[in-house]
Amino acid sequence: MDSIAFSLIFFILQVTMLSAKKTYIVHMKHGHDASVYPTHREWYNAALDASSSSSSYDSMLYAYTAAYNGFAATLDPQQAQALRASDSVLGVYEDTRYTLHTTRTPQFLGLQAHSSLWEDLHQPSHDVVIGVLDTGVWPESLSFHDSQMPQIPTRWRGNCESAPDFDPSLCNNKLIAARTFSKGYRMASANARKPRDLASPRDNDGHGTHTASTAAGSSVANATLLGYATGTARGMAPHARLAAYKVCWTDGCFASDILAGMDQAIQDGVDVLSLSLGGSSSVPYYFDTIAIGAFAAVERGIFVACSAGNTGPRSGSVANVAPWIMTVGAGTLDRDFPAYATLGNGKRFAGVSLYSGEGMGDEPVGLVYFDDRSNSSSSICMPGSLDSESVRGKVVVCDRGLNARVEKGAVVRDAGGVGMILANTAASGEGLVADSHVVAAVAVGESAGDEIRQYASLDPNPTAVLSFAGTVLNVRPSPVVASFSSRGPNCVTAQILKPDVIGPGVNILAGWSGAVGPSGSQDTRKTRFNIMSGTSMSCPHISGLAALLKAAHPDWSPSAIKSALMTTAYTHDNTESPLRDTTGEEAFSTPWAYGAGHVNPQKALSPGLVYDASTQDYIAFLCSLNYTLDHLRLVVKRLDANCSLKFTDPGDLNYPSFSVVFGSNKVVRYTRTLTNVGDPGSVYDVAVSAPSMVGITVNPNRLAFGEVGERQTYTVTFVSNRSLNDSVTSDFGSIMWSNEQHQVRSPVAFTWTYF
């Protein structure tokens, strides 16, 4: 009996100790000394052993080498504190959780399949590898076929990993790596009661397959989602290679796994990194795992694109704001999926839908809306909130928000309803997203929703009928900034304008996983392609375009590629109007929503001039933030990093856009350097656009470049004329250098912090 009791106590102690342990990322202060420790892992293990009285060999999760001087390990609080006190350790940080930012596109962007301009890049694209950090990959997807793809470049060091549900032979000359990083996730979910995901590169979510095929999917004819958006689907760089790094799981994407994926991708030899995920919008760069990993990548010439986030239109919500990252917002295409709600009073409201079922027919049925004053969970159609007696055989008005849009329709269906009107509230404005609903459903904007809610609440016998119009092309106006796309200003560094650009991110058709239906895990329908929306979708568009520019200009740096995409972006839609915003009727957008504008690949291929930036420039930028040397070395891996060169202002970074903050100073002066990547003997003149409260002077106002690669510097002075009584706190302008061939445009955002 005593032995049983002792065993039980020992077991309880083990469980208690295990639950007290957490995953930490440990940043080492000094470089790896191979003469003392043959490998990084041995060096890290020595540091771990010094922090504990017992062997800590099993505690190590990841030993980082390329992206980070440090490791991830499971530690108890005492071990973590001992490491923090060590002279050889810069910092110890608890693992954090990041989230995913969840065919016509090439034509919309001017990337026609048979254009000679882009056909010339097919061969060079074979040498470009895009690494996608996401939920893995569905290798059987037609988007990853490798017909006419030559052998894998000999420089490539990546591979495809084996798992019970993933045979490495499923990879090919298109999909050249499939790796998995789950140790952080597995540690975080160690005490969870639900089963954990299988450690496999296979995508059982769909998100990773969608983003990878958007960036570089092969051409697939007759692609469609249940009859919608039928046509040829292909990625932005259909002849580039793909490497999938699975870092996201059921419970999210953990910093330790993301950093391990980036570390491996750098070692494998990727040219572009695409991350459609993110975390907080206000974390300092030295605490931001993605920013740190991206810095190491950019230092090695790897272009990094990240999604801006889906928490718009809230001001200051943009994530992934490090200036060495390309931060991508979302806009609409010129394609739509119209659907209509016709009420018993004769009013007809236009919305969107991807519903593919039999429909409702032409006969109106009862309409019901549960006013949120009586039952708020019923008004948003939460699971279990609808009364079957009131719903059966009717169309239900469901307010958008809180639970998933498609789930609301399932709740209506399960309660006996025959249709749903998904009505926006003030939080979403007029921004619409089409979904593959499981019940006949139409999504409408806030103004239409308000009218429908009022009719359903006040009419003694409200009725409605829903109808669906399929796929419509050449929609005007387009593009329009998506309401969900996260907005500036930049909460980490106000002097850096973010997002950088917008790209297509609404109702995007791309490859899909065979493990899940188009609307989620509860959807039994199967489809090879799916339509999704989010900055998760716009990010891989820019990653693919960067791969094309890399193929066309292999000597360009990541910052030069970013500059080309930014300075050639457009700010007017297909009606020649300034870009609009879906947050409200006829609302015009601003650079805090779209950055430099919507990408224009054709012009980006030949931008004329670029704003280039080196690793040393980024170090001088970090030093201007008054970081300590330890803070700096948390971001910069090189041992000799210091602040001997330091900008007086973060806005002095040679960035393709401007964000001017007027505080106690009413005069702000910045210097920029342009590099000629166009013709020798090029001359450019400047034109400025400024609000009435700001004066802009550029000196010189003409730049002459004798040779390709030549650099010329100019200074721009911004003077605030705003009176103290003026209530305006922000405004916008632009600076553009142009000649007959090129227009090199930089947006300018102005913010006043004095009153």
Side-chain angles (χ1 to χ4, degrees):
M1 189 71 181
D2 290 342
S3 62
I4 294 174
F6 177 80
S7 298
L8 182 60
I9 292 169
F10 181 73
F11 173 76
I12 292 172
L13 283 172
Q14 280 188 312
V15 171
T16 303
M17 289 173 63
L18 180 64
S19 62
K21 286 195 170 188
K22 295 180 180 179
T23 300
Y24 291 85
I25 298 176
V26 181
H27 199 132
M28 303 296 285
K29 184 174 291 186
H30 308 296
H32 172 228
D33 188 346
S35 65
V36 180
Y37 302 107
T39 67
H40 281 79
R41 181 172 284 275
E42 289 176 88
W43 175 35
Y44 301 152
N45 271 323
L48 264 178
D49 288 338
S51 71
S52 176
S53 57
S54 58
S55 173
S56 50
Y57 182 81
D58 292 336
S59 299
M60 180 84 68
L61 298 182
Y62 296 112
Y64 306 121
T65 56
Y68 202 76
N69 268 338
F71 58 91
T74 56
L75 307 171
D76 59 36
Q78 292 75 25
Q79 288 175 303
Q81 192 54 44
L83 281 166
R84 287 191 182 99
S86 170
D87 289 337
S88 62
V89 172
L90 267 178
V92 180
Y93 312 104
E94 193 172 327
D95 206 2
T96 52
R97 189 195 315 253
Y98 290 74
T99 56
L100 293 165
H101 290 155
T102 267
T103 58
R104 169 113 179 119
T105 316
Q107 287 76 16
F108 181 66
L109 291 173
L111 299 173
Q112 283 81 3
H114 301 295
S115 166
S116 61
L117 183 67
W118 300 107
E119 282 186 342
D120 292 342
L121 294 180
H122 288 178
Q123 184 64 37
S125 295
H126 292 153
D127 293 327
V128 180
V129 182
I130 304 174
V132 180
L133 273 71
D134 214 294
T135 63
V137 66
W138 190 263
E140 295 88 352
S141 170
L142 298 175
S143 295
F144 306 131
H145 74 76
D146 66 349
S147 61
Q148 300 181 334
M149 292 284 289
Q151 289 299 306
I152 299 169
T154 55
R155 67 176 179 85
W156 180 246
R157 296 180 293 277
N159 61 42
C160 288
E161 297 176 0
S162 178
D165 65 348
F166 197 101
D167 192 314
S169 65
L170 291 168
C171 290
N172 54 26
N173 290 335
K174 177 68 173 180
L175 179 63
I176 62 174
R179 294 180 180 271
T180 181
F181 303 89
S182 64
K183 293 175 182 177
Y185 154 70
R186 299 184 82 75
M187 180 60 198
S189 61
N191 298 315
R193 295 181 179 178
K194 62 182 179 181
R196 288 186 289 180
D197 297 350
L198 179 67
S200 164
R202 184 168 290 281
D203 178 15
N204 291 311
D205 176 272
H207 192 277
T209 299
H210 199 281
T211 55
S213 58
T214 298
S218 300
S219 181
V220 180
N222 299 315
T224 184
L225 167 64
L226 306 174
Y228 285 96
T230 302
T232 298
R234 61 188 185 90
M236 296 298 96
H239 295 271
R241 319 277 183 164
L242 277 167
Y245 300 87
K246 186 172 181 178
V247 299
C248 295
W249 307 88
T250 301
D251 293 338
C253 322
F254 290 87
S256 56
D257 296 333
I258 295 169
L259 193 56
M262 298 180 84
D263 193 71
Q264 189 62 61
I266 293 169
Q267 295 180 70
D268 286 349
V270 301
D271 301 289
V272 175
L273 274 174
S274 186
L275 292 88
S276 290
L277 50 91
S280 170
S281 61
S282 57
V283 176
Y285 303 121
Y286 54 82
F287 283 153
D288 186 339
T289 301
I290 293 175
I292 293 170
F295 190 97
V298 168
E299 190 172 18
R300 290 163 174 78
I302 300 167
F303 180 92
V304 182
C306 293
S307 46
N310 295 344
T311 51
R314 179 169 57 86
S315 176
S317 56
V318 62
N320 296 318
V321 295
W324 48 89
I325 290 173
M326 185 82 168
T327 311
V328 187
T332 63
L333 290 173
D334 62 345
R335 178 184 65 196
D336 209 353
F337 308 102
Y340 302 94
T342 304
L343 307 184
N345 61 8
K347 290 191 175 182
R348 186 177 189 240
F349 297 95
V352 296
S353 183
L354 293 170
Y355 175 68
S356 60
E358 294 181 358
M360 292 179 50
D362 299 327
E363 290 298 316
V365 300
L367 179 68
V368 60
Y369 174 62
F370 297 94
D371 191 301
D372 62 7
R373 284 173 295 185
S374 59
N375 189 336
S376 60
S377 63
S378 295
S379 70
I380 58 174
C381 301
M382 291 291 287
S385 68
L386 299 183
D387 173 38
S388 296
E389 290 300 317
S390 303
V391 168
R392 188 174 293 112
K394 296 179 180 178
V395 170
V396 181
V397 181
C398 298
D399 290 341
R400 182 173 170 181
L402 202 58
N403 59 329
R405 298 182 301 270
V406 172
E407 182 183 65
K408 295 175 188 290
V411 171
V412 171
R413 178 199 61 189
D414 294 345
V418 297
M420 173 181 70
I421 298 174
L422 179 62
N424 281 6
T425 61
S428 300
E430 300 304 319
L432 297 179
V433 176
D435 293 301
S436 184
H437 291 284
V438 294
V439 70
V442 176
V444 299
E446 180 192 6
S447 58
D450 287 344
E451 285 197 55
I452 295 169
R453 281 183 281 257
Q454 184 178 35
Y455 166 74
S457 300
L458 300 179
D459 193 279
N461 185 32
T463 62
V465 63
L466 309 182
S467 56
F468 307 91
T471 304
V472 174
L473 304 179
N474 302 312
V475 172
R476 296 161 69 89
S478 63
V480 175
V481 180
S483 61
F484 59 75
S485 188
S486 291
R487 315 298 165 102
N490 183 337
C491 289
V492 182
T493 312
Q495 295 86 350
I496 300 295
L497 179 60
K498 290 285 181 171
D500 292 311
V501 293
I502 60 170
V506 179
N507 299 334
I508 304 301
L509 180 76
W512 193 243
S513 168
V516 63
S519 67
S521 59
Q522 304 302 312
D523 190 343
T524 58
R525 297 171 296 177
K526 299 299 179 187
T527 178
R528 293 178 182 271
F529 295 87
N530 198 9
I531 292 173
M532 295 184 73
S533 298
T535 55
S536 277
M537 284 63 254
S538 53
C539 172
H541 280 90
I542 274 57
S543 305
L545 296 178
L548 289 177
L549 293 185
K550 183 79 172 176
H553 305 285
D555 57 330
W556 280 10
S557 68
S559 58
I561 293 173
K562 178 199 282 193
S563 176
L565 288 165
M566 289 176 66
T567 61
T568 58
Y570 58 85
T571 58
H572 286 71
D573 60 32
N574 58 2
T575 69
E576 302 303 320
S577 164
L579 289 177
R580 292 175 172 88
D581 204 308
T582 54
T583 54
E585 292 285 358
E586 297 300 315
F588 289 123
S589 194
T590 74
W592 278 345
Y594 59 68
H598 192 286
V599 288
N600 186 334
Q602 304 243 23
K603 289 189 175 180
L605 197 60
S606 179
L609 304 172
V610 295
Y611 293 89
D612 212 346
S614 66
T615 301
Q616 188 55 54
D617 291 327
Y618 292 130
I619 292 174
F621 161 79
L622 290 169
C623 292
S624 75
L625 303 176
N626 295 319
Y627 282 6
T628 66
L629 207 54
D630 281 354
H631 286 154
L632 176 67
R633 289 174 179 170
L634 284 169
V635 180
V636 184
K637 194 164 179 280
R638 58 174 69 172
L639 298 177
D640 59 349
N642 60 67
C643 287
S644 58
L645 294 175
K646 173 182 175 179
F647 296 139
T648 56
D649 184 300
D652 279 321
L653 179 66
N654 200 41
Y655 211 67
S657 60
F658 295 85
S659 181
V660 180
V661 180
F662 292 115
S664 56
N665 254 340
K666 290 194 176 183
V667 178
V668 176
R669 184 174 290 110
Y670 290 136
T671 298
R672 291 288 192 270
T673 299
L674 283 161
T675 303
N676 181 28
V677 294
D679 297 328
S682 296
V683 178
Y684 290 80
D685 293 303
V686 74
V688 300
S689 171
S692 59
M693 295 178 294
V694 180
I696 301 179
T697 306
V698 179
N699 185 38
N701 57 18
R702 170 172 285 193
L703 296 177
F705 297 86
E707 303 293 334
V708 176
E710 184 177 331
R711 297 177 175 226
Q712 294 285 348
T713 297
Y714 69 92
T715 300
V716 55
T717 304
F718 305 97
V719 180
S720 171
N721 303 313
R722 172 182 173 273
S723 69
L724 291 175
N725 297 324
D726 203 313
S727 61
V728 174
T729 58
S730 63
D731 215 326
F732 305 92
S734 65
I735 296 172
M736 185 167 67
W737 294 92
S738 61
N739 58 21
E740 290 184 0
Q741 289 79 36
H742 303 287
Q743 292 181 329
V744 185
R745 183 183 178 279
S746 295
V748 186
F750 300 100
T751 306
W752 285 268
T753 60
Y754 65 88
F755 299 96

